[in-house]
């Protein structure tokens, strides 16, 4: 048991010497200087700052681009819906609702059609027995006066 305690003490002493040796090598330099302060950038550039290289396109490139834009659509497609004028959506907002038809057929499991119940059947039979008028229907004042 004394061997294990001595081992721990020895390992701790080695670690202490290692930390002391490392701390003696680390020294903070207090002599900070800039060689030419006028050339020092005080404020950094924006993260998305770029300097574009402007290349003047040739006349053939301009003609090709104009023809391509005309093929995509122009005034001739102004009266049409975008999905009819273009094959694919042009903007990201057109991606939603681009296909007017559903991608899969409707499932019968989720179709709840209107059906009659016994209450509606009774109400229809009652209205038919009363001459086609519901007791909850507003009566015409001229018809009510003629009935008197």
């Amino acid at each position: 048991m004394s061997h294990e305690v001595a081992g721990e003490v020895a390992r701790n002493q080695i670690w202490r010497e290692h930390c002391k040796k490392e701390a003696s090598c680390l020294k903070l330099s207090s002599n900070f200087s800039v060689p030419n302060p006028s050339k020092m950038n005080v404020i950094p550039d924006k993260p998305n700052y770029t300097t574009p290289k402007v290349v003047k396109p040739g006349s053939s490139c301009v003609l090709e681009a104009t023809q391509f834009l005309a093929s995509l659509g122009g005034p001739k497609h102004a009266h049409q819906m975008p999905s009819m004028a273009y094959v694919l959506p042009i903007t990201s907002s057109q991606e939603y609702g681009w296909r007017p038809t559903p991608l899969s057929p409707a499932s019968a499991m989720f179709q709840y059609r209107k059906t009659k119940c016994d209450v509606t059947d009774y109400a229809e039979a009652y209205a038919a027995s009363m001459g086609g008028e519901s007791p909850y229907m507003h009566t015409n004042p001229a018809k009510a006066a003629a009935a008197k």
Side-chain angles (χ1 to χ4, degrees), residues 48-120:
N48 58 351
Y49 177 75
T50 58
T51 53
K53 295 178 181 175
V54 179
V55 178
K56 211 168 193 181
S59 61
S60 63
C61 183
V62 170
L63 180 64
E64 184 181 326
T66 306
Q67 289 173 351
F68 178 70
L69 285 174
S71 71
L72 287 177
K76 64 181 180 179
H77 297 298
H79 66 284
Q80 293 179 340
M81 297 289 291
S83 59
M84 301 300 282
Y86 308 109
V87 178
L88 294 173
I90 303 301
T91 63
S92 61
S93 62
Q94 290 177 346
E95 291 176 4
Y96 297 99
W98 186 256
R99 295 180 184 264
T101 58
L103 296 175
S104 62
S107 173
M109 181 183 356
F110 300 110
Q111 292 182 357
Y112 303 106
R113 303 197 187 282
K114 292 183 179 179
T115 58
K116 294 183 179 182
C117 65
D118 55 347
V119 175
T120 55

Side-chain angles (χ1 to χ4, degrees), residues 28-37 40-41:
L28 183 64
S29 175
S30 60
N31 297 332
F32 177 77
S33 65
V34 177
N36 190 353
M40 187 172 93
N41 288 333

